[in-house]
Amino acid sequence: MQDLVETTKNYYDSSDADEFYYTVWGGEDIHVGIYETPGESIFQASIRTIQRMVSELPNIQDTTRILDIGSGYGGAARYLAGRFGCTIDCLNLSEKENQRNREKNAEVRLNDQIHVHEGNFEEIPFDKATYDIVWSEDALLHSGNKAKVFEEVSRVLKPEGHFIFTDPMQADNCPEDVLEPILKRIHLEAMGSVALYRQLATQHTLSEVNVLEMPDQLVNHYSAVLQGMTEKEAVLQKTCSQEYIDQMKAGLRHWIDGGQQGHLNWGILHFQKEA
């Protein structure tokens, strides 16, 4: 498990990955967007995902404490802090992403509300019953011990606190072996699923509030990323190796194909800790 953590950290700390995500995704987020119209920007679709997640939650106030696990560049934290005045801890493996996060927070004068920590969400470095909300976008995917993630989230949530997250998942009825190209790329033997996350939630005193499955948005998003990457390839070639660009294109096609074949899923999952 520790090897997987190090592999994930090394990948996102690599110059190729950092430049790719920052250039193509728009520099605020690294998660699947919700698209309403053809040709919509990745940036706008990504904001809509955050807004849709917020709409699932009770009123967020300036006294609300939020933990964002796998926070990337911190776009969600800045949206939440800027709109609601709340306090947020960002926990993220990649120090390159964390540094960009801190710089952006300083630019918009939110560094007093957003605190960025380097760390692993399988070992959350905070006290029990600390947070009103634990938030995550497309990060649980990378964990090789998802049961431990749910255990840790339940531990740090206050009674009746909320755990809301998105994740690229395999479909509950996904045949064996069809996702091998994707699993090989993300160094996992299996992906999460709605069924698995429901089971883990039950095991860790988290009750289901709502599960909104939107597999089509995964296809929409990775198609938009592939198109954006193709359009910006000349720019990417100045900062990313051609080998990385070619591997990323192939990987994106695997995600698109898996989604179109009904083997993949994506959505918003919302659970609440028992009182």
Side-chain angles (χ1 to χ4, degrees), residues 31-183:
H31 61 250
V32 171
I34 296 175
Y35 295 77
E36 292 185 347
T37 58
E40 199 165 21
S41 72
I42 293 171
F43 179 79
Q44 183 57 49
S46 296
I47 292 175
R48 189 174 291 113
T49 300
I50 297 170
Q51 293 170 334
R52 185 64 182 82
M53 292 171 73
V54 167
S55 74
E56 286 285 319
L57 295 166
N59 290 336
I60 302 173
Q61 304 173 15
D62 57 5
T63 56
T64 303
R65 293 199 65 184
I66 300 176
L67 172 64
D68 185 350
I69 57 175
S71 51
Y73 296 127
R78 281 185 292 279
Y79 180 92
L80 294 165
R83 179 164 182 175
F84 301 106
C86 53
T87 301
I88 303 164
D89 284 312
C90 290
L91 182 65
N92 195 59
L93 277 177
S94 169
E95 190 51 35
K96 279 199 173 183
E97 291 175 354
N98 291 342
Q99 185 56 37
R100 289 192 189 270
N101 190 353
R102 295 184 186 103
E103 291 170 357
K104 285 178 168 289
N105 295 340
E107 287 173 7
V108 293
R109 299 182 180 180
L110 288 173
N111 45 347
D112 288 338
Q113 291 171 240
I114 303 173
H115 308 287
V116 183
H117 309 265
E118 182 179 355
N120 173 14
F121 51 62
E122 293 172 1
E123 299 176 356
I124 297 176
F126 304 114
D127 294 335
K128 66 180 182 179
T130 297
Y131 297 99
D132 302 289
I133 298 167
V134 175
W135 174 292
S136 184
E137 292 176 89
D138 299 355
L140 272 64
L141 166 75
H142 295 293
S143 172
N145 190 351
K146 294 175 175 61
K148 182 63 174 174
V149 178
F150 272 73
E151 178 185 339
E152 283 289 272
V153 167
S154 182
R155 180 181 65 81
V156 300
L157 272 176
K158 296 176 182 178
E160 300 187 337
H162 295 262
F163 180 29
I164 189 164
F165 65 95
T166 64
D167 207 41
M169 301 167 282
Q170 64 185 48
D172 288 341
N173 60 352
C174 181
E176 292 185 9
D177 301 327
V178 298
L179 297 181
E180 185 58 32
I182 293 174
L183 294 172

Side-chain angles (χ1 to χ4, degrees), residues 192-209:
S193 65
V194 170
L196 174 64
Y197 289 144
R198 280 176 165 148
Q199 176 186 348
L200 293 176
T202 299
Q203 291 172 356
H204 295 93
T205 66
L206 297 164
S207 300
E208 182 176 327
V209 178

